[in-house]
Amino acid sequence: MYGKGKWLLQSVQSQSINPNYLSISTTGGKNKIIDRKTDYTLSYSHRDADVSSLYTRLAATYDDDVSHVMNASTKRTAVFSGLEIKASYGNHTEVEMQMSIWIAASLRKKMKLAGNAGVNIVPAAMAEPALTIVGHKHCIYYAYPCSDLGSNGDKNRSGGEGGVHVFASGLALKTDSVRGTFQLPRLYRNLLAYGMDEGDDGYWDGFLGRVLEKLASDGGRG
C-alpha cells in the first residue's frame, strides 16, 4: 500500500553475507569473522520499471556486486534495512546482534559503492533503519558509518573493517496494545518513504540512487 510497487520484502535467511563486509573480532591473538544472518530485507524491486532500467544499465557498466550478500540474484540487487524476527521467548540480545551484523555489512558495502562511484557522502546521509521483532514488540534501530569508515581496517578486505554505529532509537511498539497496533502502520509507512525519498537530501536521490546512477553511467570510471 505504501511501497508504490518499488519494494520487495525478501527472505534472506539462507543467504550468506560476503565475508569482506563482516566484522572481525580478535580472540586469543587470532582474527575471527563474526557471521550471522537476518530474516528479511527490503529490496528495490526489479518489477518497478524505473528500478529495472537502472539495474539493466548497471549490468552493462558495473561488473561488481551491488549488495553485500553472495546469492547470485540478490548480490545484483540494492537492499535496504533488515528485519530480525523471533517468537516471544526469543533472546533479545541475540536478535540485536544478528540485526546489527546485517546492517553493518550492508553499510560497508554501500560505502564501497560510493567510493567506487567517486561520490562524497557524509556519514549522516547514509543513516539506515533496521528492526527487530520479538513476539509483539517491534523495536527500531539506526545505523550509520563512522567518519573513518574503511580507513583503519584490513586493507586486504574490500570495504575494509570500517566502524559502524548501531544504536537503539528508544522506540518500541507492541501489537498487543491498541495504541501500538495503530502506530505500527505509520512507522512502516515512514520507513518505506524514507528509503525511496527522492528529495535532494533524501536517502535515494541524496545517497543510494545517486551512487547507483553514477555507476550505471560510467561504471565508476568517470
Side-chain angles (χ1 to χ4, degrees):
M1 179 169 61
Y2 299 122
K4 300 180 181 179
K6 291 185 179 294
W7 294 110
L8 177 66
L9 180 63
Q10 184 173 345
S11 173
V12 288
Q13 293 166 313
S14 62
Q15 297 188 21
S16 298
I17 296 173
N18 187 324
N20 287 327
Y21 306 108
L22 288 168
S23 299
I24 294 178
S25 69
T26 302
T27 304
K30 295 182 179 180
N31 290 338
K32 180 180 179 181
I33 291 176
I34 305 173
D35 189 6
R36 293 289 190 281
K37 299 172 184 176
T38 199
D39 291 320
Y40 296 95
T41 189
L42 288 163
S43 62
Y44 294 88
S45 177
H46 290 258
R47 299 173 184 174
D48 177 80
D50 292 336
V51 176
S52 179
S53 173
L54 173 59
Y55 288 146
T56 298
R57 288 182 284 119
L58 272 169
T61 61
Y62 187 63
D63 58 6
D64 199 358
D65 301 335
V66 175
S67 76
H68 61 297
V69 298
M70 301 183 72
N71 176 273
S73 175
T74 309
K75 69 182 182 181
R76 298 295 298 178
T77 301
V79 298
F80 174 75
S81 191
L83 295 90
E84 180 63 26
I85 303 171
K86 288 286 188 291
S88 57
Y89 52 80
N91 185 303
H92 193 76
T93 300
E94 180 182 348
V95 171
E96 287 185 324
M97 180 177 67
Q98 289 178 254
M99 176 276 300
S100 297
I101 290 170
W102 169 269
I103 201 66
S106 178
L107 284 175
R108 290 188 185 105
K109 176 61 181 181
K110 288 168 183 170
M111 182 58 87
K112 184 189 177 190
L113 292 174
N116 288 347
V119 176
N120 292 321
I121 304 290
V122 297
M126 295 180 64
E128 188 167 346
L131 295 108
T132 62
I133 304 172
V134 180
H136 292 286
K137 189 175 182 180
H138 296 235
C139 296
I140 188 165
Y141 301 79
Y142 293 100
Y144 63 93
C146 300
S147 58
D148 60 348
L149 181 67
S151 65
N152 60 353
D154 182 349
K155 302 304 181 182
N156 294 319
R157 303 174 70 229
S158 58
E161 173 64 8
V164 174
H165 294 296
V166 181
F167 64 95
S169 69
L171 177 64
L173 299 177
K174 295 183 178 182
T175 55
D176 59 354
S177 71
V178 174
R179 181 181 180 185
T181 300
F182 278 98
Q183 286 181 326
L184 270 175
R186 183 185 304 169
L187 168 66
Y188 286 102
R189 178 194 65 196
N190 291 342
L191 183 148
L192 294 176
Y194 173 77
M196 59 185 181
D197 187 345
E198 296 179 348
D200 290 342
D201 297 324
Y203 184 84
W204 182 253
D205 271 15
F207 166 51
L208 187 56
R210 177 185 167 198
V211 167
L212 295 179
E213 285 289 354
K214 182 66 166 59
L215 293 173
S217 67
D218 61 19
R221 296 181 295 273

